[in-house]
Amino acid sequence: DAGVTQSPTHLIKTRGQQVTLRCSPKSGHDTVSWYQQALGQGPQFIFQYYEEEERQRGNFPDRFSGHQFPNYSSELNVNALLLGDSALYLCASSFRAGGYGYTFGSGTRLTVV
Amino acid sequence: QQQVKQSPQSLIVQKGGIPIINCAYENTAFDYFPWYQQFPGKGPALLIAIRPDVSEKKEGRFTISFNKSAKQFSLHIMDSQPGDSATYFCAAAGSSGSARQLTFGSGTQLTVLP
């Protein structure tokens, strides 16, 4: 049974560019949450998608946007990349928005140069 | 009010020792308190979690102690092993509103010496 799958594993982008990160949730899960983890810090909540809609959002600018597809997979898009966007981006899936059984993927390491 | 404060930032113990990591929260809407273990290059993995209606929960070598009145909770690792060397995060979440997402502490880097 596959867990949460994220792609790509590593990515290098130039300041000002746009990036798309992808996540496939664990089998049986229908909710996807995205987190940003800066080096040496705890993960920070970006937003959560359930039933193809953004249900909750953390304290992140509109440059961060997302999408959830009918098969529950999700994308995180970041526009106008800043050096400070360099981080590990984690996807966590769960069953039903508000459920607590979160499973995290291994993340995408984004480096902005 | 969403903050979860974690200490210490780093911890070094000998094999067999009992490292203790502490967390404190402010938001009384939190009702789920998990601990995650993270190895380099990996995502956080759930170790153990507790609800506020119990004061202690044990799973294998891992124990959570919970003090609802003080709004504090801690992780104890019994008979620690070098393989336990990792970063540990406490977190908290609630069942409604803005508390529903996981709020993480800043992490504790644990080193268990052989």
Side-chain angles (χ1 to χ4, degrees):
Chain A
D1 179 25
V4 177
T5 304
Q6 291 188 244
S7 63
T9 55
H10 296 83
L11 202 52
I12 299 175
K13 287 288 188 179
T14 302
R15 189 173 48 185
Q17 285 188 318
Q18 179 264 345
V19 68
T20 297
L21 311 182
R22 296 176 175 81
C23 172
S24 293
K26 179 179 177 179
S27 177
H29 286 183
D30 58 6
T31 302
V32 172
S33 302
W34 287 92
Y35 289 79
Q36 180 194 65
Q37 186 177 21
L39 199 61
Q41 301 294 319
Q44 298 290 315
F45 175 73
I46 303 175
F47 42 53
Q48 182 184 74
Y49 277 84
Y50 172 65
E51 293 185 327
E52 302 180 49
E53 291 185 10
E54 182 182 295
R55 299 290 179 165
Q56 257 193 301
R57 188 177 184 91
N59 189 26
F60 280 80
D62 292 344
R63 298 187 296 109
F64 290 77
S65 63
H67 188 77
Q68 186 179 35
F69 299 94
N71 67 352
Y72 310 123
S73 67
S74 176
E75 288 181 349
L76 163 65
N77 301 291
V78 187
N79 294 322
L81 284 167
L82 303 173
L83 297 179
D85 294 332
S86 295
L88 180 68
Y89 288 85
L90 295 163
C91 170
S93 70
S94 58
F95 179 65
R96 293 283 188 267
Y100 291 147
Y102 299 96
T103 300
F104 282 83
S106 293
T108 293
R109 171 70 62 187
L110 173 64
T111 303
V112 182
V113 297
Chain B
Q1 197 179 19
Q2 288 291 91
Q3 205 171 14
V4 177
K5 296 182 179 180
Q6 183 172 346
S7 63
Q9 186 175 6
S10 63
L11 192 52
I12 301 174
V13 298
Q14 295 286 340
K15 177 183 174 182
I18 306 177
I20 301 172
I21 306 171
N22 300 299
C23 284
Y25 65 98
E26 297 176 355
N27 190 342
T28 55
F30 289 146
D31 63 0
Y32 173 71
F33 302 90
W35 285 90
Y36 287 86
Q37 179 189 58
Q38 187 176 29
F39 292 104
K42 299 294 185 182
L46 179 65
L47 268 180
I48 184 173
I50 196 168
R51 296 292 185 112
D53 53 342
V54 297
S55 60
E56 186 176 277
K57 182 176 181 180
K58 293 183 180 181
E59 285 188 3
R61 296 185 294 109
F62 301 96
T63 298
I64 299 179
S65 297
F66 187 84
N67 185 328
K68 187 175 181 178
S69 61
K71 292 188 283 187
Q72 295 176 348
F73 58 110
S74 61
L75 176 70
H76 298 61
I77 305 176
M78 307 302 177
D79 187 27
S80 59
Q81 302 296 314
D84 296 330
S85 297
T87 301
Y88 292 80
F89 293 95
C90 63
S95 57
S96 62
S98 62
R100 277 190 291 143
Q101 75 275 13
L102 286 171
T103 298
F104 283 84
S106 55
T108 296
Q109 187 166 356
L110 172 66
T111 302
V112 181
L113 301 175

